Amino acid sequence: MSSRLIRKLHRWLGLAFSLSVLIASGSGVIHNVMTRTQAPPPSARPSGGGMDVNAIKLTVAEAVAKLSEPNPEVQAVNLRGIGGQPWYQIYTKASRGPQYVSAVDGKADPAQDEAYAAEIAKNFLAGAEVKKTDFLTAFNTEYINIFRILPVHRFDTGDALDTRVYVSTTTGSVTRHTDKQRQFEATIFTNFHKLGFIPNKDLRDLVLTVMTFGTFLVACLGIALFFATRPKQR
């Protein structure tokens, strides 16, 4: 391959794929800014409202017997404090989500999942009033797959910052805390660094692979051009 051809390939491919370098480097700067301006993700620590353990009257086996499904295959049981009272949070193989049985009187109440989520949100936001605005069973453009946990409840405060939190009752914690400023920075990073504006993951991965390989190819041509055009020794 002649040095002239290498030079032409390097020039035009460099121009074509310089866009990917600009996008990656520019959004990388935004990422560094985000590490300074945004708090780290909340810890996955249960943050509900406490309970009176002396009020517990039912054993786990007695609580499971209160479920409507016959002979449930129990996979996990948590004891949660909701409204100051102890509730068993029960996961069975057949159920799609947690079921709640009062540890005091054995009452089964599916509404306790949302009540527990709201309590977690309020405690996280120092007692601010919250309103449930969504329940996610799949990731979206704001709650993306890096947050990993589904399903989650979304609660908004309606304040000037448009603060909102995503809550998992499985972990008993807030999985994401954001507002309009934080989300603006996150959206820039997601769209430019990860090409999040392409909804189809397979297509997005293909474009990212082509852009990355193109940048690699331009670098290889630059190295080849360096050796092909170096002064010849006499």
Side-chain angles (χ1 to χ4, degrees):
M1 186 179 294
S2 67
S3 60
R4 183 178 180 182
L5 179 58
I6 294 175
R7 185 179 289 107
K8 284 186 176 182
L9 285 172
H10 183 264
R11 180 181 182 185
W12 288 106
L13 288 176
L15 179 62
F17 289 104
S18 63
L19 179 61
S20 64
V21 177
L22 289 172
I23 290 174
S25 59
S27 56
V29 172
I30 292 294
H31 185 265
N32 285 335
V33 171
M34 289 168 59
T35 61
R36 299 289 182 179
T37 60
Q38 299 193 20
S43 60
R45 178 181 177 181
S47 57
M51 72 186 81
D52 178 10
V53 294
N54 295 314
I56 298 174
K57 304 300 181 184
L58 276 71
T59 65
V60 172
E62 290 171 334
V64 171
K66 299 293 183 179
L67 299 178
S68 58
E69 59 182 280
N71 302 317
E73 185 176 340
V74 177
Q75 295 185 313
V77 178
N78 297 314
L79 185 61
R80 304 297 198 188
I82 307 173
Q85 296 297 311
W87 287 80
Y88 286 112
Q89 183 191 59
I90 305 171
Y91 291 86
T92 66
K93 188 174 183 180
S95 62
R96 299 184 62 181
Q99 302 179 70
Y100 292 81
V101 175
S102 171
V104 178
D105 58 14
K107 175 186 176 183
D109 185 2
Q112 291 303 312
D113 192 60
E114 184 174 330
Y116 180 43
E119 198 164 298
I120 294 169
K122 289 185 68 173
N123 288 342
F124 182 85
L125 296 170
E129 290 299 319
V130 295
K131 178 182 179 182
K132 182 180 176 180
T133 56
D134 206 353
F135 179 72
L136 276 63
T137 57
F139 299 107
N140 59 25
T141 55
E142 178 168 297
Y143 191 80
I144 58 180
N145 58 4
I146 64 170
F147 298 107
R148 301 181 183 278
I149 298 173
L150 284 172
V152 290
H153 299 259
R154 171 176 164 168
F155 291 90
D156 291 40
T157 63
D159 60 6
L161 294 175
D162 194 17
T163 302
R164 59 262 196 197
V165 294
Y166 293 85
V167 175
S168 167
T169 54
T170 300
T171 63
S173 63
V174 170
T175 57
R176 182 157 196 227
H177 170 217
T178 190
D179 55 43
K180 58 185 177 183
Q181 177 60 39
R182 293 179 178 183
Q183 189 55 39
F184 176 72
E185 295 172 354
T187 299
I188 291 176
F189 178 74
T190 299
N191 284 332
F192 286 92
H193 203 80
K194 302 179 181 180
L195 304 187
F197 57 87
I198 301 176
N200 185 282
K201 185 180 185 301
D202 293 334
L203 177 60
R204 183 169 64 249
D205 290 345
L206 175 62
V207 173
L208 282 169
T209 301
V210 170
M211 292 173 68
T212 304
F213 178 74
T215 305
F216 170 79
L217 181 60
V218 170
C220 290
L221 288 171
I223 294 172
L225 186 62
F226 171 81
F227 287 104
T229 59
R230 64 179 178 173
K232 296 181 179 180
Q233 295 181 352
R234 295 181 179 178

